[in-house]
Amino acid sequence: MTLDIPFDNSYAQLPPAFFTRLDPTPVKSPRLLAFNEALARELGIAPQEADLAAIFAGNKVPEGATPLAQLYAGHQFGGFSPQLGDGRANLLGEVIDRTGSRRDIQLKGSGPTPYSRMGDGRAWLGPVLREYVVSEAMHAMGVPTTRALAAVVTGESVYRETGALPGAVLTRVASSHIRVGTFQVFLARRDLESLRALYDYTRARHTPEAQSPGDMLRAVIDRQARLIAAWESLGFIHGVMNTDNTTLSGETIDYGPCAFMDRYHPDTVFSSIDAHGRYAYGNQRHVIVWNLAQLATCLVPLHDDQDAAVEEMTRDIHAMPELIGRYWLSAFGHKIGLDDASESDRPLIDELLALMAASGADFTNTFRALADGSARDQVTDRDAYDAWHAKWQARLASETGTAERMRAANPWVIPRNHRIEQMIEAAVAGDMAPFERLMRVLATPYEAQPDEAELTRPPRSAEVVQQTFCGT
Ligand code: AMP
Ligand code: MG
């Protein structure tokens, strides 16, 4: 029996220039590793006996699906690639979820497409499980993100620098897969008709209140500003913030070489391909402004009065750093217990971060320890901490519910890099218990789970993950 997925596909109705209709490439012997039942229910997918492995490997195309590979372009590390596109993914279609929102269902690692570049269109198990765990943890932490519906091993090997690895397919759910790069591909081709069709589609799907492309840009600026502040507040480093990995929906997408910091330092980089730290933790707020300036460039030709549009959009782009700063202040205010932090509170937060950076303090555990009164143990310069603590306490005197606020803003547990690596190693060896454990504990990341305290421990020196890699 097949799975009843209530497809309602709109992207497939767009002009042919937007995509290539293409079924996933079947795999040898699919086996289901994970299925997100709660998310399936949210999507209106009726739980029933079905060959989930065959469906989520792409071997069996479910009724109502219109599989396609999406076209896009993008700036990768600042250099423009005029044509990218899904090189190893198939959008099966969309469903309207329980809350009335349209959601994409996409298979990733599902075979080559006309847009594949120097690759086999496949993914290996490591990045598939990494994205599964991290995206679901991000969701549990309240960050806008794509979700993970299923993971399947294919029974085939994929070959990477390190040799043969088990192939896998991830089923990803997203508010949409429209990227800054989706607009860029049509601008690069001077295809104004498609650009307008994409604007109309995106406006209806993500910003129906927008009266103009300028309005839509402002809405995206706001969402992305909020998103970057949320990443920063959790010590999250995306790792590959190319314009093709920046969504119009404001969701985090494409968990490749992403990582959470253990020791705090704003210059932290994990990605093996980010040699110059373009996407370092502290640079994300600058890069996103640059990325949205590329979106603005794409939207200018849609205005009748282009000079006025340039002026208006330039103003909005230039205002973005301050907007990010305001969301940052609010998020980090909560992290130190303040309900509504104001500009005058900024030095208090900056001072704590400077102390943490000087100490190489654990980002997550130091903030969490504030509520328990044990943060002093996390830093090396105790005198400086005591001086900061006195100022902090004086400021907290006028607040109520501070411990609760801090526990709600500072996760008890995050998906630490070394735990992810250990989980992947176990999964490759056929042991899914570490994956199950991470999924269980990370489902309620703000709740102290004393029996699982081992997962809050920073890595020992032998466990430290120095570099992360793209899925490719
Ligand atoms: P990513 O954002 O890391 O998924 O990759 C960016 C783009 O690189 C994808 O959209 C594909 O076009 C291409 N790509 C990545 N991995 C592969 C692969 N294994 N086979 C073919 N193309 C790939
Ligand atoms: Mg990508």
Side-chain angles (χ1 to χ4, degrees), residues 87 160 183 256 442:
R160 299 292 180 259
F183 284 83
L442 289 166

Side-chain angles (χ1 to χ4, degrees), residues 70 72 76 83-89 108-109 111-113 115-124 131 160 172 179 240 242 244-245 254-257 470-472:
Q70 289 177 316
Y72 50 86
Q76 300 180 304
Q83 188 186 294
L84 296 171
D86 293 329
R88 50 170 171 169
K108 187 173 173 183
T113 78
Y115 314 125
S116 294
R117 285 168 310 137
M118 295 181 298
D120 50 12
R122 294 298 183 187
W124 78 273
E131 174 158 347
R160 299 292 180 259
R172 172 159 84 180
R179 309 141 190 273
V240 58
N242 295 332
D244 53 304
N245 292 336
D254 269 5
Y255 293 85
C470 283
T472 49

